[in-house]
């Protein structure tokens, strides 16, 4: 039997009606396939949170002060942010990485310095990054993933912080899915009503200004430093055959970019939740995937990818620890579906 | 400020955009209200699984052998069933209670003996229980909850095992919601096609045979021993002001029954998931509640109520451990919604 057949057989013979653990069965099957194992395990899970500022924020596409990027970056590592408390809850190693925050952290600040630049360029005027900057960010992202593998990590999530970063995400989504800017753009942290209308006008103008000829060029043009670093991390996590927990809108738009460079990446991804940020549902539909949770989250930071971990673990515990009908001495439930 | 205002203020001042943790914020608010505390906590969570057989199973409303009830009851306590492994995962104390299994367990079997009878009566011929049996079952259910409170438990879930017990659940749902038998009846563990049609015919006949004049009489007529015991447990858990985690179709139909005896019980309930069993969504709509998870589960046993626990804990960790904007030195995010 192939590993897929063996996994199916193992799941179907657990002491429960056929299919009665729904998505948990699908998750167990997927992780078993990734790990080529009938007893897959999560080891040393890690969360890499990439932080950067965005030139496009100068165009008023966010209601928030750019200062929040560096303040929250410190808050992550000091332990008080959403991603901090959820990573502690689930023993996920949290790495807070400065990919391009527009602020000089003190040398003793507990932030990993991988700064490519003091924020991306304002893409209303010029591409967000040069190809070289983008490639360097991707390379550094890959190196962070390799470092986690070296520590025994086989399951990884990615988060982000960057005031203004729903805008590059919407532009990347627009570029790859061909959906209208209207369908790709939401309020982010607070752009409602007229502000949202204005944000869409700016993004439409930016989208029409460039015609990137490759996924890499699109990423450099429309992305951001934390997004490019995360894209590199996604691709490396696939190469390392890790289980990848995908967070909300920004992480999924980044995964979508990585997917256009390495399509097989999708096999290793679990989509943690359906974000309230407008556009996220459409990317999930474009990718043909169903998220695990629907908790109306729209915080980013990797929070959904952290919160979902115990559900993934429940799936693996089902596969590894539930008894079969034979083992338990339980009469087989009539599983036939008419 | 009232506790509600204080909770809202505390949640809104966490370092995140307003409302961006969605259902986690709603859960934290609800549990804070129940516990009348700005720092609510889950202590010594417990799962009571009530097991019983059903006379109506003799009418062919289930594809499964009745032997599975006692076999699975033992499997729960031996640690190999779904509910066993998920309770171990989350340190939930699991109590497996024989409310009326049609089997004499050996005296050394690790099952709590609260047997009222060797299964309920066949309600196609006579009421499932006498009023006295029903009241005795409810009283015992209440006592089990009191015992958990004595052990410091403030959060409780209820599960069930009983071949045939979707039928009494559908009948109780039909009685209380006035929805048609058609809308209340699903395939359970395997009644598809013609079998499901036959099940509906039997339930329609039973529903028309009786006209109970009170919720108690309905419970005695259409219920089952594990359902009556669980109903008593629900009501006592409310009286003890516990947080109650409601599982799938059968547990929710039982909660619906308890709700018609003590309507305020709803305030203390978190509905863990939306079951795949047909009818469950309609009870949730009738109650006007939204479940936390939608994982396509339909196993029962309390599994959904166990799996949801870490999500509830995430909500409380948000409330208790995330920093406020002031504490973190983060500029307030413009939270205004146009």
């Amino acid at each position: 039997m192939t590993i897929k057949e063996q996994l199916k057989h193992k799941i179907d013979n657990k002491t429960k009606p056929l299919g009665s653990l729904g998505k948990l069965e699908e998750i167990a099957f997927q992780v078993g396939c990734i790990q080529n194992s009938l007893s897959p395990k999560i080891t040393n899970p890690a969360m890499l949170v990439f932080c950067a500022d965005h030139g496009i924020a100068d165009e008023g596409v966010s209601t928030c002060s750019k200062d929040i990027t560096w303040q929250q970056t410190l808050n992550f590592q000091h332990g008080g942010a959403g991603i901090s408390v959820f990573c502690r809850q689930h023993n996920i190693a949290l790495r807070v990485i400065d990919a391009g925050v527009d602020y000089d952290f003190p040398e003793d600040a507990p932030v990993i310095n991988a700064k490519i630049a003091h924020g991306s360029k304002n893409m209303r005027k010029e591409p967000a990054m040069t190809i070289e900057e983008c490639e360097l960010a991707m390379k550094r992202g890959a190196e962070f993933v390799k470092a986690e593998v070296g520590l025994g990590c086989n399951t990884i999530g990615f988060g982000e912080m960057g005031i203004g970063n729903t805008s590059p995400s919407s532009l990347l989504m627009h570029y790859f899915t061909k959906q209208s800017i209207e369908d790709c753009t939401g309020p982010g942290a607070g752009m409602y009503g007229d502000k949202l209308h204005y944000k869409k006008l700016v993004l439409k103008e930016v989208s029409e200004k460039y015609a990137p000829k490759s996924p890499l060029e699109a990423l450099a043009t429309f992305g951001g430093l934390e997004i490019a670093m995360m894209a590199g991390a996604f691709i490396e996590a696939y190469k390392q055959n890790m289980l990848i927990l995908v967070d909300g809108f920004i992480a999924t738009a980044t995964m979508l970019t990585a997917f256009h460079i390495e399509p097989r990446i999708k096999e290793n991804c679990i989509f943690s939740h359906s974000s309230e940020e407008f556009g996220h549902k459409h990317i999930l539909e474009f990718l043909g995937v169903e998220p695990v949770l629907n908790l109306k989250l729209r915080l980013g930071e990797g929070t959904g990818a952290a919160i979902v971990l115990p559900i993934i673990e429940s799936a693996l515990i089902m596969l590894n620890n539930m008894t079969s009908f034979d083992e338990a001495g339980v009469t087989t439930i009539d599983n036939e579906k008419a």
Side-chain angles (χ1 to χ4, degrees), chain A:
Chain A
M1 285 200 288
T2 65
I3 186 73
K4 287 188 180 186
E5 288 164 344
Q6 289 176 66
L7 280 164
K8 184 170 184 319
H9 180 80
K10 187 172 180 187
I11 292 168
D12 287 350
N13 280 276
K14 298 294 184 182
T15 48
K16 57 172 182 54
L18 196 68
S20 61
L21 282 173
K23 277 192 196 166
L24 296 186
E25 301 189 17
E26 295 169 21
I27 292 167
F29 181 82
Q30 182 186 358
V31 182
C33 288
I34 292 170
Q35 298 189 6
N36 193 33
S37 167
L38 294 176
S39 306
K41 293 207 165 34
I42 290 171
T43 59
N44 300 353
M47 177 70 60
L48 310 185
V49 181
F50 301 103
C51 308
D53 275 302
H54 294 265
I56 192 71
D58 295 338
E59 298 292 337
V61 293
S62 171
T63 52
C64 298
S65 157
K66 270 172 93 167
D67 282 340
I68 292 176
T69 302
W70 69 261
Q71 290 167 349
Q72 276 288 69
T73 300
L74 284 178
N75 192 28
F76 294 157
Q77 197 69 56
H78 287 148
I83 191 58
S84 326
V85 300
F86 300 138
C87 281
R88 272 208 304 285
Q89 180 186 4
H90 299 310
N91 289 312
I92 301 170
L94 172 63
R95 320 291 183 197
V96 182
I97 297 161
D98 173 9
V101 179
D102 188 11
Y103 181 79
D104 291 309
F105 292 102
E107 284 202 9
D108 62 348
V111 171
I112 300 167
N113 183 1
K115 200 192 287 287
I116 309 285
H118 283 72
S120 57
K121 299 290 195 305
N122 180 346
M123 56 183 140
R124 201 170 184 181
K125 298 176 180 159
E126 60 189 310
M129 294 167 274
T130 64
I131 293 288
E132 291 70 28
E133 283 173 326
C134 183
E135 285 181 330
L136 181 58
M138 291 176 76
K139 183 163 168 285
R140 288 195 181 159
E143 281 163 7
F144 285 117
V145 170
K146 283 183 201 159
E148 294 305 323
V149 172
L151 296 170
C153 166
N154 72 359
T155 301
I156 201 155
F158 303 124
E160 42 56 47
M161 176 69 216
I163 293 302
N165 69 4
T166 56
S167 287
S169 304
S170 294
L171 286 163
L172 288 167
M173 177 185 171
H174 168 72
Y175 177 81
F176 288 113
T177 70
K178 317 289 182 212
Q179 294 176 34
S180 70
I181 286 290
E182 186 72 29
D183 283 345
C184 298
T185 308
M191 298 289 286
Y192 297 95
D194 287 349
K195 292 177 187 167
L196 178 57
H197 181 68
Y198 171 76
K199 178 179 174 182
K200 288 173 183 173
L201 287 181
V202 172
L203 297 192
K204 191 150 194 305
E205 180 192 315
V206 173
S207 74
E208 288 166 355
K209 185 179 170 75
Y210 307 96
K213 292 191 179 50
S214 69
L216 176 65
E217 196 185 337
L219 178 57
T221 306
F222 298 128
L225 293 158
E226 85 282 42
I227 290 173
M229 206 170 278
M230 192 195 291
F234 262 113
I235 293 165
E236 184 64 28
Y238 168 73
K239 288 184 185 163
Q240 298 284 345
N241 197 34
M242 302 173 95
L243 172 62
I244 308 171
L245 304 178
V246 185
D247 194 44
F249 182 59
I250 295 147
T252 308
T254 308
M255 180 273 168
L256 179 73
T257 307
F259 170 75
H260 280 83
I261 297 170
E262 173 48 85
R264 288 172 300 175
I265 195 175
K266 201 172 94 170
E267 295 164 22
N268 287 50
C269 290
I270 289 180
F271 295 82
S272 62
H273 75 289
S274 179
S275 169
E276 280 295 277
E277 175 67 4
F278 190 81
H280 191 225
K281 285 185 187 65
H282 298 140
I283 309 187
L284 296 173
E285 283 166 20
F286 178 87
L287 289 165
V289 295
E290 265 200 8
V292 180
L293 301 174
N294 188 353
L295 297 172
K296 300 182 183 171
L297 309 178
R298 53 177 173 83
L299 176 54
E301 304 180 0
T303 46
I307 286 168
V308 82
L309 189 67
I311 304 290
I312 313 298
E313 283 173 337
S314 289
L316 303 192
I317 283 167
M318 178 276 289
L319 184 60
N320 293 325
N321 298 352
M322 267 184 79
T323 50
S324 67
F325 284 111
D326 283 351
E327 289 163 348
V330 174
T331 309
T332 307
I333 293 170
D334 179 357
N335 273 325
E336 186 194 351
K337 255 203 174 184

